[in-house]
Amino acid sequence: MFNKYIRHILVYSLICCAFACKKDDNLNLDYFDQQRPPVKGPIDDWIMTNYTTPYNISVRYRWEPFEVPINKVLVPVREEVVVPAMQMVKDVWLAPYVKERGVEFMKRYAPKQFVLVGSAQYESDGSIVLGTAEGGRQIALFVLNDFDKKNLPEVKRMLHTIHHEFAHILHQTILYPREYKQITPGGYTATWYNTSDAQALAMGFITPYSRSSADEDFVEMVSTMLVEGQQGFDALLASTSPAGRATLRQKEAMVIAYFQDTWNIDFRSLQATTQQAIIDATK
Amino acid sequence: MKNIILFGALLVLLFTGCRKNDDDPVFGRTPDERLNEVLNKMQQELSSSPYGWKAVLYPDGGAGYGFYFTFTNNNRVSMLTDIAAQTTATQNNSTWRLKALQRPTLLFDTYSYLHLLSDPDPRVIGGEAGFGFLSDFNFGLDSLHGDTLDMTGISQNSKLILIKATNEEAAAYKNGSLKTIQEEIDAYMQATPFLSLEGSTEKYTAFLNGTTRNFSMSKAVNGSLVTQKDAFGYTNRGIFLKKAFNIGGHSFREVIWDRTKKQLYIMVDNKRVDLVGSDKPTFALHQMIGVDLAGILVPPNPIIGWTSPFYTIWKQADTNLRNGDYGFQLYYTEMTFDKEKDNMIYTVYLVFRGRLYAGKLRFSYTQTADGIFAFAYQDIVDQIGGLIEKDVQPLVNLLNTNKFKIEFLYPAAGGILGKVTSVDTPDMSFSGQLQ
């Protein structure tokens, strides 16, 4: 019975299709005009040559309102520090890792984006943030407006930050052995800033900040060992109690083992290369 | 059969009748188009003003700062500002760009003089640690009309006004007029701090506070003061107020410095009205404090207006501090009044290992119509205030347990001070510089 009408239905459906409204809107591309990328200058060219082309890393030195926390008061970098600071970051962080494991390793694991901030980030507990790493993709470096190549403590502080953040990226990619957390399990605390340098060492923590968590402990070990070098690290240990020293040696061994087993990196070699790079970059 | 065809035809009509396309933009163009148009206009205006832009920035934290900008089309900007002596003379070169955020936004995207006001590092220009002066360096457009751009900071709601500069103005800025004007006005205000002007029907007093960068204008109404007060920044020829002031139905936004006659004046209804300076105030200090004048800065040694009972108390606080955990030395103490909030911030300046520190304590206060003040200690304001709270108890107690008169004091040697005298304890008073 339905068959009788099916012809009608089909014909009328066909007519409908033929006359159905066609929305005729072209895609509006005006939005893309609004991005207004700024005119490129020598700093942008330098970044392209030294970071973007070889390693696919972008360096955001021009302020981007929502790249950093919006509830903190921060200021952009001075143009004059961008190239000197990033040159040093390349020499003392990128180059040693490239020497150990090659360009492809850094291309794969290095954060894809650096965000540069001129000031420190002031926290409500009175401490300041010097650097942040976000999910392996982005590293934000702070206090760059204080950068001064000749000021060795200042330089070391910045390098410590970058090595610290990269170590986060490495262990966020492949975690270090859980046994590490068992070395000083009771020593981690949210009020790490009340600990002095000497107290931390005696407790088996390389810096007061390493008391903040096992993750921070691990990366503080990595960055201190790299930035101070083997000699510097040994000197730190010599200055503290035998108990502290023994604990730190344990942690040191685990760090070296992690780099070898997980990343096939000879840590001692990396350490030596980094030390030489610091000497060359700061003279 | 006819029915089916009819029915079918009706169905076709139903399904092919177009819905009216009612998503035409209300303003005739899409929001993106309009935004783009404004951004283009801004880019055009900013970079093609032949003599640059004069500007004043009013950070949300208070005060105002004058600027002179030159924008180029390849995203470079140079500027001068009245923040410090060097910044008035040496042009600073940095970058800018526009971005479509919620509103068309001007970003000063690399560090410049402008950022000094936002810098959270207190070593830069003494801003508050972690906050700076609560200023902005990214500004959303409020309006663009004629030669003027009005903008609001996107983080702290600071206000920025930009006005196209003329040839003469540009030359004046580049010649360091920001410094000269500030210096000349400062010198004038030192000598004759109390200003008055004649309106069409009544007399006003005015006060230009170069330290707090606030201008206030008052008239007496039925025995009490009605005051207009707002922040200002310096320009090539005077000061420019955050908002226009009302004087007898007319308004003015600039107070101009006549370099030849050495006088301040305003333009009301196109007529020049001079401000007359005097070293004697029209109103009592208790009427002006917390409004025109911010407060009193008490030195670390006895001066005229101090009595020995006060010095004893002061010395006690100093001894407590020196014997305390840190060995601070008591330096200046400052009382800063905010009449609107009924707050008095007591700042204790300290010397420690050759460096200057400051701890702040907060009092609430009340004052009677004839100028008797009562203070009540509330709380510490910052960390250092917390460290010294116990040690400065002698001073805090004095303020808590006495009522005070606050008056002008005229030393024989000249100048003017503020004197705070207890009405409860005999022979108890202290004094200091007016701020």
Side-chain angles (χ1 to χ4, degrees):
Chain A
M1 156 113 154
F2 193 58
N3 292 337
K4 213 159 76 126
Y5 297 106
I6 204 139
R7 249 192 310 136
H8 291 277
I9 292 167
L10 283 173
V11 168
Y12 294 129
S13 305
L14 196 62
I15 297 170
C16 282
C17 289
F19 289 107
C21 299
K22 216 171 60 164
K23 213 162 144 59
D24 201 12
D25 260 352
N26 289 322
L27 181 62
N28 190 337
L29 292 169
D30 282 347
Y31 176 69
F32 295 102
D33 286 344
Q34 290 164 15
Q35 294 316 304
R36 292 164 196 276
V39 171
K40 301 230 178 284
I43 297 177
D44 306 280
D45 296 336
W46 186 92
I47 292 172
M48 181 65 74
T49 313
N50 288 273
Y51 277 84
T52 319
T53 309
Y55 301 102
N56 200 28
I57 294 175
S58 91
V59 178
R60 270 256 167 89
Y61 68 97
R62 293 178 78 134
W63 191 258
E64 199 56 59
F66 305 109
E67 284 289 355
V68 288
I70 57 172
N71 62 337
K72 296 284 178 213
V73 176
L74 301 164
V75 287
V77 288
R78 285 183 287 125
E79 279 185 294
E80 316 86 77
V81 303
V82 177
V83 169
M86 294 316 288
Q87 179 69 59
M88 179 156 300
V89 167
K90 186 178 181 194
D91 293 339
V92 184
W93 165 68
L94 254 181
Y97 275 100
V98 167
K99 182 155 180 258
E100 288 305 310
R101 281 297 313 273
V103 174
E104 290 307 312
F105 172 80
M106 278 319 246
K107 257 195 188 168
R108 184 162 170 197
Y109 293 106
K112 289 287 155 272
Q113 187 182 74
F114 274 84
V115 170
L116 307 186
V117 181
S119 64
Q121 180 174 297
Y122 289 72
E123 299 293 307
S124 51
D125 63 12
S127 62
I128 56 172
V129 174
L130 304 172
T132 55
E134 214 171 289
R137 278 199 53 77
Q138 188 200 83
I139 283 185
L141 292 176
F142 296 78
V143 207
L144 278 165
N145 282 347
D146 284 352
F147 180 75
D148 172 11
K149 198 171 114 148
K150 291 283 183 317
N151 184 343
L152 189 59
E154 199 48 48
V155 164
K156 275 190 170 178
R157 190 194 45 71
M158 192 192 82
L159 295 171
H160 185 103
T161 307
I162 179 78
H163 278 285
H164 173 120
E165 299 305 338
F166 185 60
H168 272 311
I169 286 175
L170 288 177
H171 81 67
Q172 281 167 7
T173 312
I174 303 178
L175 190 56
Y176 50 85
R178 263 179 291 146
E179 287 75 29
Y180 187 89
K181 303 193 192 195
Q182 302 307 319
I183 302 176
T184 48
Y188 299 114
T189 171
T191 53
W192 56 269
Y193 41 81
N194 287 330
T195 316
S196 72
D197 293 348
Q199 283 172 320
L201 286 169
M203 291 174 73
F205 292 91
I206 190 68
T207 62
Y209 187 47
S210 55
R211 289 196 66 193
S212 118
S213 72
D215 281 354
E216 298 301 341
D217 189 0
F218 190 80
V219 300
E220 282 287 282
M221 281 294 290
V222 172
S223 47
T224 308
M225 287 163 74
L226 287 173
V227 173
E228 297 302 325
Q230 187 162 7
Q231 267 192 315
F233 183 76
D234 290 340
L236 272 172
L237 265 62
S239 74
T240 191
S241 65
R245 213 177 306 148
T247 312
L248 287 163
R249 286 288 174 212
Q250 252 191 296
K251 293 183 176 176
E252 181 191 24
M254 291 201 87
V255 166
I256 296 175
Y258 168 79
F259 271 77
Q260 186 62 62
D261 301 337
T262 314
W263 300 106
N264 199 18
I265 291 177
D266 177 349
F267 194 84
R268 289 292 178 214
S269 171
L270 178 67
Q271 203 175 22
T273 314
T274 309
Q275 275 311 287
Q276 189 57 47
I278 292 179
I279 293 170
D280 292 337
T282 55
K283 58 172 182 237
Chain B
M1 185 64 172
K2 210 156 73 162
N3 279 340
I4 297 168
I5 292 171
L6 199 63
F7 185 62
L10 280 169
L11 268 176
V12 171
L13 270 172
L14 177 68
F15 287 119
T16 59
C18 296
R19 274 262 305 273
K20 192 171 150 77
N21 184 2
D22 63 354
D23 58 359
D24 283 334
V26 175
F27 296 98
R29 289 161 290 145
T30 65
D32 286 336
E33 284 170 340
R34 290 170 52 233
L35 193 51
N36 222 17
E37 223 179 84
V38 176
L39 283 170
N40 282 338
K41 184 137 198 263
M42 277 175 81
Q43 178 93 21
Q44 170 72 5
E45 291 289 311
L46 288 170
S47 52
S48 65
S49 169
Y51 304 109
W53 296 80
K54 56 183 185 179
V56 187
L57 169 60
Y58 305 95
D60 196 54
Y65 299 88
F67 282 83
Y68 174 70
F69 295 112
T70 315
F71 299 91
T72 68
N73 215 5
N74 60 349
N75 297 112
R76 297 214 63 91
V77 60
S78 56
M79 67 181 80
L80 292 169
T81 177
D82 63 8
I83 293 173
Q86 320 91 280
T87 64
T88 60
T90 317
Q91 297 241 24
N92 178 246
N93 219 297
S94 62
T95 61
W96 67 285
R97 72 182 201 277
L98 295 175
K99 197 170 164 85
L101 298 177
Q102 283 202 324
R103 282 178 293 163
T105 305
L106 168 63
L107 306 170
F108 288 90
D109 57 1
T110 52
Y111 202 82
S112 71
Y113 287 154
L114 189 90
H115 300 84
L116 293 170
L117 299 167
S118 298
D119 204 317
D121 186 340
R123 297 168 303 168
V124 168
I125 51 165
E128 193 179 336
F131 296 98
F133 286 3
L134 285 176
S135 187
D136 281 278
F137 51 91
N138 301 312
F139 301 92
L141 183 71
D142 293 330
S143 66
L144 191 167
H145 52 101
D147 281 346
T148 309
L149 280 114
D150 280 300
M151 313 194 80
T152 303
I154 66 175
S155 308
Q156 310 288 347
N157 287 328
S158 312
K159 291 289 180 192
L160 176 66
I161 177 167
L162 295 134
I163 304 174
K164 261 194 203 161
T166 64
N167 197 354
E168 295 78 36
E169 287 169 336
Y173 277 105
K174 287 181 193 160
N175 240 334
S177 64
L178 279 172
K179 180 161 186 261
T180 347
I181 292 288
Q182 204 174 345
E183 281 176 346
E184 289 181 359
I185 294 181
D186 269 352
Y188 176 74
M189 290 305 295
Q190 281 269 44
T192 56
F194 304 102
L195 306 167
S196 58
L197 62 147
E198 307 273 347
S200 51
T201 45
E202 54 220 327
K203 196 162 176 209
Y204 294 84
T205 60
F207 198 90
L208 194 157
N209 195 324
T211 321
T212 61
R213 290 172 177 245
N214 271 281
F215 182 77
S216 46
M217 198 174 79
S218 312
K219 68 176 181 206
V221 173
N222 298 334
S224 61
L225 280 185
V226 172
T227 310
Q228 295 171 75
K229 179 178 164 183
D230 219 338
F232 68 79
Y234 293 92
T235 64
N236 60 301
R237 63 177 192 171
I239 65 168
F240 198 88
L241 297 160
K242 189 171 177 181
K243 275 203 293 290
F245 275 33
N246 189 312
I247 179 169
H250 301 282
S251 67
F252 66 93
R253 209 170 154 184
E254 253 190 293
V255 180
I256 305 164
W257 172 248
D258 185 329
R259 298 192 65 199
T260 338
K261 289 213 189 123
K262 299 252 180 289
Q263 193 165 38
L264 289 166
Y265 68 92
I266 58 174
M267 296 300 290
V268 175
D269 204 20
N270 275 323
K271 281 201 293 284
R272 172 173 164 150
V273 177
D274 283 328
L275 276 73
V276 177
S278 159
D279 57 350
K280 294 281 180 302
T282 312
F283 297 112
L285 180 52
H286 70 83
Q287 290 172 304
M288 296 180 75
I289 205 157
V291 184
D292 311 76
L293 290 161
I296 301 175
L297 181 65
V298 180
N301 42 259
I303 54 170
I304 180 168
W306 283 44
T307 57
S308 32
F310 174 74
Y311 185 53
T312 310
I313 292 180
W314 191 95
K315 206 78 191 99
Q316 238 173 345
D318 183 38
T319 312
N320 289 350
L321 286 164
R322 284 171 195 262
N323 292 336
D325 291 330
Y326 297 88
F328 287 123
Q329 284 168 259
L330 184 56
Y331 200 40
Y332 282 79
T333 49
E334 189 173 9
M335 298 169 76
T336 311
F337 294 76
D338 186 339
K339 196 158 184 181
E340 238 178 284
K341 300 202 189 106
D342 293 319
N343 255 350
M344 189 273 287
I345 303 292
Y346 193 63
T347 307
V348 181
Y349 291 95
L350 308 148
V351 174
F352 175 61
R353 294 201 188 152
R355 294 182 70 168
L356 186 65
Y357 294 84
K360 293 184 158 89
L361 306 168
R362 188 169 59 87
F363 289 75
S364 65
Y365 77 96
T366 57
Q367 63 181 107
T368 63
D370 48 347
I372 308 293
F373 287 75
F375 298 98
Y377 177 60
Q378 297 299 314
D379 206 354
I380 60 172
V381 174
D382 54 13
Q383 241 185 340
I384 297 185
L387 297 176
I388 57 158
E389 191 186 15
K390 224 174 11 99
D391 296 328
V392 298
Q393 271 311 296
L395 290 162
V396 172
N397 258 340
L398 173 68
L399 292 170
N400 251 344
T401 58
N402 283 264
K403 291 220 200 358
F404 294 91
K405 269 192 310 192
I406 303 186
E407 313 155 294
F408 286 116
L409 174 63
Y410 299 93
I416 186 166
L417 299 170
K419 182 172 167 199
V420 182
T421 315
S422 166
V423 294
D424 300 307
T425 313
D427 198 30
M428 177 70 73
S429 76
F430 60 96
S431 59
Q433 260 178 284
L434 295 165
Q435 297 296 294

